[in-house]
Amino acid sequence: MFKKNKQAPKKAPKKFSLLTLIVTALVTLLLGGGAVFIFMNQRLQAVEQTNSSLGKIEAVYSALYNNYYKKVSRQKLENGALSGMVNALGDPFSEYMSKTETQSLNDTISSSFTGIGAEVRKNGSHIEIIAPIDNTPAKKAGLKANDIIEEIDGKSMTGVSLSKAVSLIRGQKGTKVTLKIRRGSDTFTKVLTRAKIPVKTVTGHLDKQHKTVGYLQVSTFSENTAKEFKSEIKTLRKQGAKSFVIDMRDNPGGLMDQALKMASMFVENGKTILQVQTRGQNAQVYKAGKNYDGGFKVKEKTVVLINGGSASAAEIFSAALNQSANIKLVGTKSYGKGTVQNTLPFSDKTELKMTIAKWLTPDGSWIHHKGLQPTIKADFPSYAYQTAIDTKQTYQQGDVSSQVKKMQVLLQALGYTPGDARGYFSAETATALKKFQADNKLEQSGKADATTINKLEELATAKAAASDNAYQAALKVALQN
């Protein structure tokens, strides 16, 4: 979650000069008092420690630039020093961002970019997916929160900077990128076609069977999300909506101000939406009111869907509605990101993204690494969470592997009978696969090649989406009087 700082420092902070210290000391003497002397002593100690640290950094920089056995650029040393300081925090949400990374973040916030549609972060030495955005190549390929991108087009991502990874993932619309993904103990490969990621962050429609229930899906919290959300609510009302299901699943978050504006629409004026606590300070309390929602309120019965990909601003919104408006949460436990980041831009178009505070739910809970628990637990069928099948090889009768077992599970889910789904590619499995290939106008080889596997996963994904138990549970609540 971001609080954008648009003030860029023109120059790096200067060291205190001797004259500054003398002037400060004279002012201290004029003020008088033992407490002031103690403060001055602490200030001097802090200055000395800072100067000592900066002196050591300068010495290392100079030694490397002038004496390293081969030439090294000043920019590389500078970026390394800045990144090193931030990495020392051990905080995956704080980073010194290059021009490319800065542009990537700004594109995400403005919701206008071309890529695969997955928000990624640097986690240790790995590139990790926070959440895929709905209706994007990443989502359609079955990528999920916490997936590790091990390779991009055959290049290892271990130890690679986030900017480098993003530059490799992005490219011209219509071109392909191959990702090797690790999910738990399994690895698999996916080929994705780059596309323009949807600019609109809120979509909605009436439920097909129950025309009085309006469904809204929020993919991320960008600059115009609250405005889009309000517009969609008004449209659905005109179409006859009397209650709402708001889908926050796989929403990786975004801008805090958008979450505040949207949550205030549902929360009674004066009630708490959010608490933000910075270091050594009491929590700042944000309360619902006209300053956020402009007087626009949603009084209709509402239910919110969450899952493991609901993070940051999506969790702020969901927690506010749950705790301050008694709105039920349906689904599975959310991601658990309870910190606030700010960006400090520099004149060379790089930025420092830094965690500046932790945010608390209205009742004062910190959900970091814990997540929000749903009021009603409901989820997709278990096969929807099965890891993808590795398409680098073809599987045939007689094979025994975990990949074969995954194929058998999907065949069963689609109504075919592959026999005992334990990973042995039996004659019965081959027969079931041939029938599947015939039904889908594929070569009836009885072998599971990449084309067959991709079709199998595509249809299983579609069936899982149609078997959305969480949505059905939310719909039931929305229809209650």
Side-chain angles (χ1 to χ4, degrees):
M1 179 181 65
F2 299 101
K3 289 180 68 179
K4 191 83 172 179
N5 180 1
K6 296 183 179 180
Q7 297 299 317
K10 295 181 179 180
K11 295 181 180 180
K14 294 181 178 179
K15 300 178 184 178
F16 287 94
S17 66
L18 179 59
L19 178 60
T20 302
L21 296 178
I22 292 172
V23 172
T24 306
L26 288 173
V27 173
T28 303
L29 288 172
L30 290 172
L31 290 172
V36 178
F37 281 111
I38 293 173
F39 170 78
M40 186 59 197
N41 185 51
Q42 291 175 337
R43 184 71 175 271
L44 287 170
Q45 288 178 351
V47 171
E48 289 174 358
Q49 290 172 352
T50 300
N51 286 343
S52 176
S53 297
L54 291 175
K56 185 182 291 186
I57 293 172
E58 185 177 353
V60 171
Y61 175 91
S62 178
L64 292 175
Y65 182 74
N66 293 307
N67 302 315
Y68 189 60
Y69 82 100
K70 61 181 180 179
K71 189 175 182 180
V72 59
S73 73
R74 291 184 181 276
Q75 190 65 51
K76 186 174 183 179
L77 290 175
E78 179 184 323
N79 290 343
L82 293 169
S83 297
M85 281 191 287
V86 179
N87 292 340
L89 299 173
D91 177 8
F93 301 108
S94 293
E95 59 180 314
Y96 170 70
M97 300 186 295
S98 66
K99 291 180 183 179
T100 303
E101 290 168 326
T102 299
Q103 186 60 51
S104 175
L105 176 61
N106 291 336
D107 286 346
T108 301
I109 289 173
S110 64
S111 297
S112 57
F113 57 95
T114 301
I116 64 170
E119 184 175 354
V120 296
R121 67 170 185 168
K122 184 78 171 178
N123 189 0
S125 61
H126 303 297
I127 303 297
E128 181 180 83
I129 293 175
I130 295 178
I133 298 172
D134 197 62
N135 293 322
T136 63
K139 183 70 174 180
K140 292 175 182 177
L143 301 186
K144 299 180 183 298
N146 301 316
D147 281 352
I148 301 296
I149 301 177
E150 290 198 331
E151 294 180 3
I152 300 176
D153 288 334
K155 298 177 181 178
S156 174
M157 290 297 103
T158 302
V160 170
S161 68
L162 187 61
S163 61
K164 180 65 174 177
V166 169
S167 68
L168 290 172
I169 291 174
R170 292 192 175 182
Q172 291 186 347
K173 179 181 176 181
T175 58
K176 295 184 182 299
V177 59
T178 302
L179 305 181
K180 181 180 179 182
I181 302 295
R182 175 160 58 85
R183 183 180 298 163
S185 59
D186 292 327
T187 58
F188 54 92
T189 300
K190 284 289 181 181
V191 179
L192 289 78
T193 301
R194 298 180 178 97
K196 186 174 182 180
I197 306 308
V199 173
K200 191 174 181 180
T201 61
V202 182
T203 56
H205 58 79
L206 295 178
D207 184 83
K208 292 180 180 179
Q209 294 182 330
H210 304 280
K211 300 295 184 180
T212 60
V213 179
Y215 169 84
L216 297 99
Q217 183 177 54
V218 185
S219 62
T220 186
F221 286 79
S222 299
E223 290 174 346
N224 296 314
T225 300
K227 183 179 179 180
E228 292 177 20
F229 188 77
K230 179 180 177 180
S231 176
E232 199 63 50
I233 289 282
K234 288 182 174 181
T235 298
L236 291 173
R237 279 174 171 171
K238 289 180 181 179
Q239 294 175 353
K242 303 298 181 184
S243 60
F244 298 104
V245 174
I246 302 172
D247 198 342
M248 287 286 164
R249 291 177 296 182
D250 293 323
N251 183 321
L255 297 174
M256 187 179 86
D257 70 316
Q258 299 298 301
L260 289 170
K261 289 177 181 179
M262 290 166 58
S264 186
M265 297 176 189
F266 297 85
V267 177
E268 182 182 333
N269 288 349
K271 285 193 173 183
T272 300
I273 300 174
L274 168 71
Q275 300 183 54
V276 175
Q277 188 170 34
T278 55
R279 185 174 69 183
Q281 301 294 320
N282 293 328
Q284 181 179 358
V285 179
Y286 294 81
K287 296 183 178 182
K290 193 174 181 179
N291 56 320
Y292 290 122
D293 57 46
F296 180 81
K297 292 292 186 180
V298 181
K299 300 291 186 179
E300 293 91 342
K301 192 175 188 65
T302 300
V303 191
V304 178
L305 289 165
I306 60 171
N307 70 356
S310 306
S312 192
E315 292 174 299
I316 288 176
F317 175 86
S318 302
L321 269 62
N322 178 238
Q323 295 182 10
S324 292
N326 296 316
I327 289 173
K328 292 182 178 179
L329 306 180
V330 177
T332 59
K333 183 169 70 75
S334 67
Y335 184 84
K337 180 180 179 291
T339 56
V340 182
Q341 284 69 44
N342 203 342
T343 54
L344 184 64
F346 298 96
S347 59
D348 63 354
K349 297 183 180 180
T350 61
E351 287 186 353
L352 171 65
K353 179 159 72 79
M354 177 177 62
T355 298
I356 59 169
K358 61 182 182 180
W359 68 264
L360 311 174
T361 63
D363 69 4
S365 299
W366 193 37
I367 65 163
H368 201 54
H369 297 315
K370 298 176 183 176
L372 292 169
Q373 291 292 343
T375 313
I376 300 172
K377 291 185 178 180
D379 203 358
F380 289 101
S382 59
Y383 67 82
Y385 292 98
Q386 176 175 277
T387 56
I389 302 169
D390 191 344
T391 56
K392 284 188 174 181
Q393 57 179 305
T394 297
Y395 308 95
Q396 58 188 344
Q397 188 172 337
D399 288 347
V400 181
S401 72
S402 60
Q403 304 302 313
V404 172
K405 182 178 179 179
K406 293 177 188 178
M407 178 190 66
Q408 292 170 327
V409 169
L410 296 186
L411 283 169
Q412 282 184 331
L414 293 172
Y416 297 91
T417 53
D420 196 0
R422 294 186 179 182
Y424 171 64
F425 201 129
S426 62
E428 195 173 358
T429 298
T431 300
L433 194 60
K434 284 181 180 180
K435 188 175 188 314
F436 170 80
Q437 290 170 330
D439 290 344
N440 290 280
K441 298 179 180 180
L442 302 173
E443 181 186 354
Q444 298 175 46
S445 63
K447 298 178 181 180
D449 58 8
T451 301
T452 298
I453 291 171
N454 287 334
K455 190 65 176 180
L456 190 62
E457 291 182 333
E458 176 189 336
L459 295 180
T461 299
K463 183 173 182 180
S467 306
D468 191 344
N469 298 325
Y471 175 71
Q472 293 303 318
L475 183 63
K476 185 176 180 181
V477 174
L479 289 168
Q480 293 173 352
N481 294 326

